[in-house]
Structure formats: structure tokens, C-alpha cells
Amino acid sequence: MSFMNWQYSRVFNTHVTLTFSKMCIGDHREAARLMPHWNKEMKRWLAIGPDKSRKRWKKRVRAAEPSPHLWVYVFENGRDKGFHAHQLCCVPDSQVKAFEAHTLAWWRREAWIDFPADAIEVRHCRTYDEKSGYERQVEWFRYLIKSAARDFGYFGLDGQVHSVDEIFKLAPYWETNPVYSPRLHGICHELSMKKRREAGFVSKLGSCELDEVYSGWEFDARRERIKAEETAAFLATLNI
């Protein structure tokens, strides 16, 4: 999440909940197998612009600009919903309804059943300004990791270990049923550890500046980085 803000100046503006119990997909491993295929399809779908109109994407708004599919998801086996997934991603405001319809149609094809539409919930937050979009993203991120392990922490600049609960400001631990899948979460290639290393990204966890984790520092850092790159490019053109 932090790297996405730093690298792309985007925020997660959409929270998708997939309730597999309502889709009659009871096998956790099967759901885990399907998640990458769905995200691959949505990546292709979001990449289509007005210059590449295709019949199969007829519900997509024609005036839409191509958009990268940036996402992260987790599996959870809740007490009320049963086995389900939460995914954060980026969807253009004009594409939300079409995104929801395409997602519903795709999962119905894979489940081989016309399950109820409420099996998939798409919550979208229109981003009016950087601060409000960032705050909503953080709220959703904290919800995603509510059932994560809490038995470890990180060193701060004070030399002390600070708990995950303290750093990420988490609610009390949610005890949930086990997920029977070797994969408990997923993240797109564009936000992977490899991409972060190649970009030279260092998070506030990595630099031990734990008080800055939710400060929104990423956007200022990006602006400063771009300004420095522009200055360097300009100086390179001077015959000094």
C-alpha cells in the first residue's frame, strides 16, 4: 500500500468482498486457485481504452482511459460469512458499475451457478482529495489485517520493540476459523517485493520510523523525487 502511494501516487479506492459460501465454492483451495485468474481478467479489462473497443467488454464505458490493476487480497474464514476474501484495488470512478457487473459475471461462470448478487460486494470511495482518499485507504487496510498474527513487532528508533497492534492501530484480535489453503493472501506483480527493491523503496517500517507509518509521507516523497529528477535532467542539458 505504501509503495503504491509512493510509486504511482494512487490510493486503494475500492474494497471488494467475495463471499464464497454464497457462491457455493466450499473448497478453499479452489477459491485460492481462481483468485489470480480473476485478477488477470480484471487487469485485461481495465487496460481496455476507447481505442481498443471489443465486443466482450461492451459494458465498459467507452470513454474510459486504460488503468493499471493494482491490488492486494486476503482470505478469511469468518464466523458469520464463512470463507471469503477481501481485496483492495483501484477502479476509476466512471467504471465502478461496469467493474462490479463484469466481476459478478466472471465468478458466476466459474461457479457454474447463478448465485445471488450479494455474494459480491463492491464498495467504492470517490477520491476528492489526497488526504481523504488516504484516510479511507488506511481504514480499509486495517480492516484487512484484523485477523493477522499479532505475536511479533518491529524495532523503532528508540531501540524498543513495538507491537503490530500499536504500530498499525489495530482493533482487538479477531479469532477466526482456519483457512485450508497454502495461500492466505496475494499481491499484484506491480507492488511485489521485487518491484519495491528495484525502485529503491524503503518503508517507514524499514527505516524504523514507526510514528510515520500512517502519516501520508509517501506523496510528499514522490513529489520531491520527481522534482529532483526534473532538476537533474535540466542540469544535464546545460553545457557547464
Side-chain angles (χ1 to χ4, degrees):
M1 179 182 75
S2 185
F3 175 64
M4 183 182 70
N5 302 153
W6 182 87
Q7 180 76 337
Y8 302 102
S9 195
R10 289 175 175 265
V11 297
F12 285 127
N13 64 2
T14 305
H15 177 190
V16 182
T17 302
L18 305 169
T19 306
F20 298 113
S21 57
K22 291 186 177 181
M23 300 181 195
C24 296
I25 301 178
D27 188 331
H28 296 191
R29 291 178 176 83
E30 176 63 8
R33 183 187 71 81
L34 289 171
M35 283 293 288
H37 293 287
W38 169 58
N39 276 308
K40 181 179 180 180
E41 171 71 3
M42 300 318 292
K43 179 178 181 178
R44 295 172 59 201
W45 185 85
L46 285 167
I48 298 297
D51 58 327
K52 295 183 179 180
S53 178
R54 296 182 185 178
K55 194 172 182 179
R56 65 179 297 191
W57 280 284
K58 61 183 179 181
K59 291 185 178 180
R60 182 163 167 74
V61 177
R62 298 304 183 192
E65 292 299 320
S67 176
H69 186 37
L70 305 170
W71 51 267
V72 58
Y73 71 79
V74 299
F75 288 124
E76 187 175 299
N77 197 4
R79 292 167 291 185
D80 300 324
K81 287 188 176 181
F83 181 55
H84 61 282
H86 293 290
Q87 174 161 306
L88 298 185
C89 54
C90 301
V91 180
D93 296 336
S94 63
Q95 297 300 300
V96 178
K97 291 297 183 182
F99 176 91
E100 186 172 6
H102 195 62
T103 294
L104 182 62
W106 190 91
W107 281 100
R108 280 176 170 170
R109 287 196 302 270
E110 294 301 319
W112 291 83
I113 185 174
D114 190 20
F115 56 75
D118 66 357
I120 297 176
E121 180 185 16
V122 178
R123 299 174 60 193
H124 178 80
C125 178
R126 188 179 291 269
T127 304
Y128 294 101
D129 58 78
E130 190 176 276
K131 184 175 184 294
S132 62
Y134 183 82
E135 289 175 348
R136 176 55 62 89
Q137 171 190 245
V138 167
E139 178 184 335
W140 283 342
F141 171 75
R142 290 169 60 195
Y143 185 80
L144 251 69
I145 64 172
K146 62 184 181 297
S147 59
R150 311 284 183 93
D151 55 350
F152 66 99
Y154 295 87
F155 278 100
L157 292 178
D158 58 3
Q160 302 297 314
V161 176
H162 297 264
S163 69
V164 171
D165 301 64
E166 176 189 352
I167 298 168
F168 293 109
K169 301 177 175 61
L170 301 180
Y173 181 75
W174 287 35
E175 189 68 39
T176 60
N177 296 320
V179 173
Y180 297 101
S181 168
R183 178 182 292 274
L184 301 178
H185 57 82
I187 189 169
C188 64
H189 175 69
E190 290 77 7
L191 303 179
S192 66
M193 181 65 75
K194 179 182 178 181
K195 287 292 185 181
R196 283 174 266 165
R197 287 172 176 165
E198 288 175 351
F201 174 73
V202 179
S203 71
K204 293 304 180 182
L205 290 177
S207 63
C208 302
E209 299 172 85
L210 306 183
D211 292 339
E212 296 293 315
V213 167
Y214 288 151
S215 67
W217 66 275
E218 299 91 344
F219 300 102
D220 288 335
R222 174 179 170 81
R223 284 188 283 266
E224 291 173 4
R225 188 172 75 254
I226 292 175
K227 185 177 180 179
E229 291 171 354
E230 291 174 345
T231 300
F234 171 73
L235 292 176
T237 64
L238 301 179
N239 187 15
I240 300 178

